[in-house]
């Protein structure tokens, strides 16, 4: 499922992010690359934001990245909800260096009949940070206009 959803750049560093046996310098380099990929224009992000987000990647053990990024899950219950009409709103961006929004929409669109989305032009993986107003407006609109009676 990751093919077409995860960018080649993220796929390249995933093994070093999730391994407890990779040398510390390689893991640290991958954490730095991961943090840089959060933003579409890293040079415009204030240094305190860059470094605080980068620092958050230093504290947890590498295996915790695995829990967040590559663990096996049983998506069948979620897919079943989608087929029953459970609504889903996906927020992505065109310049995300980690996730391919079109790929995500194509995959979840197979299961969710009531799928809505916001794809921010020139947005980053941290789309909520770099495009706060448009993301908040999208969420508010989705919540106001969406009902599920199950």
């Amino acid at each position: 499922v990751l093919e077409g959803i995860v960018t080649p750049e993220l796929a390249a560093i995933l093994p070093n992010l999730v391994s407890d046996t990779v040398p510390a310098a390689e893991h640290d380099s991958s954490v730095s690359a991961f943090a840089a990929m959060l933003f579409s224009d890293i040079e415009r992000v204030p240094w305190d934001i860059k470094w605080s987000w980068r620092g958050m990647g230093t504290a947890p053990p590498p295996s915790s990245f695995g829990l967040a990024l590559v663990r096996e899950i049983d998506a069948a219950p979620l897919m079943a909800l989608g087929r029953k009409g459970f609504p889903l709103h996906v927020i992505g961006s065109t310049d995300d260096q980690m996730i391919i929004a079109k790929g995500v929409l194509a995959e979840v669109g197979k299961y969710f009949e009531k799928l809505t989305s916001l794809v921010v032009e020139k947005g980053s993986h941290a789309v909520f940070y770099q495009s706060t107003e448009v993301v908040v407006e999208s969420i508010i609109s989705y919540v106001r206009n969406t009902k599920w009676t199950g």
Side-chain angles (χ1 to χ4, degrees):
V1 172
L2 292 180
E3 189 173 325
I5 293 176
V6 172
T7 64
E9 295 82 6
L10 179 58
I13 65 169
L14 274 176
N16 287 348
L17 283 175
V18 303
S19 173
D20 284 321
T21 60
V22 71
E26 290 178 36
H27 176 72
D28 189 60
S29 176
S30 294
V31 170
S32 290
F34 183 87
M37 286 191 284
L38 292 169
F39 308 100
S40 58
D41 187 358
I42 191 76
E43 299 306 317
R44 297 187 73 200
V45 178
W47 72 269
D48 59 325
I49 298 294
K50 280 190 277 198
W51 286 103
S52 64
W53 289 28
R54 166 57 179 91
M56 286 186 275
T58 301
S63 58
S64 66
F65 281 93
L67 294 173
L69 300 172
V70 295
R71 76 172 191 263
E72 293 284 327
I73 62 165
D74 178 9
L78 184 61
M79 293 172 192
L81 277 174
R83 287 188 196 100
K84 289 181 180 181
F86 188 82
L88 178 66
H89 187 62
V90 174
I91 299 173
S93 64
T94 60
D95 290 359
D96 189 331
Q97 297 176 63
M98 296 186 193
I99 303 296
I100 303 164
K102 287 182 182 179
V104 172
L105 292 170
E107 184 64 27
V108 297
K110 296 175 188 176
Y111 309 102
F112 284 82
E113 299 168 7
K114 293 184 179 177
L115 175 65
T116 58
S117 65
L118 166 69
V119 178
V120 177
E121 285 292 320
K122 306 282 185 199
S124 66
H125 188 73
V127 67
F128 59 90
Y129 172 78
Q130 290 187 288
S131 304
T132 305
E133 288 182 31
V134 70
V135 169
V136 169
E137 288 172 17
S138 177
I139 293 169
I140 290 170
S141 175
Y142 172 73
V143 171
R144 280 189 180 143
N145 298 313
T146 303
K147 293 183 181 180
W148 186 58
T149 58

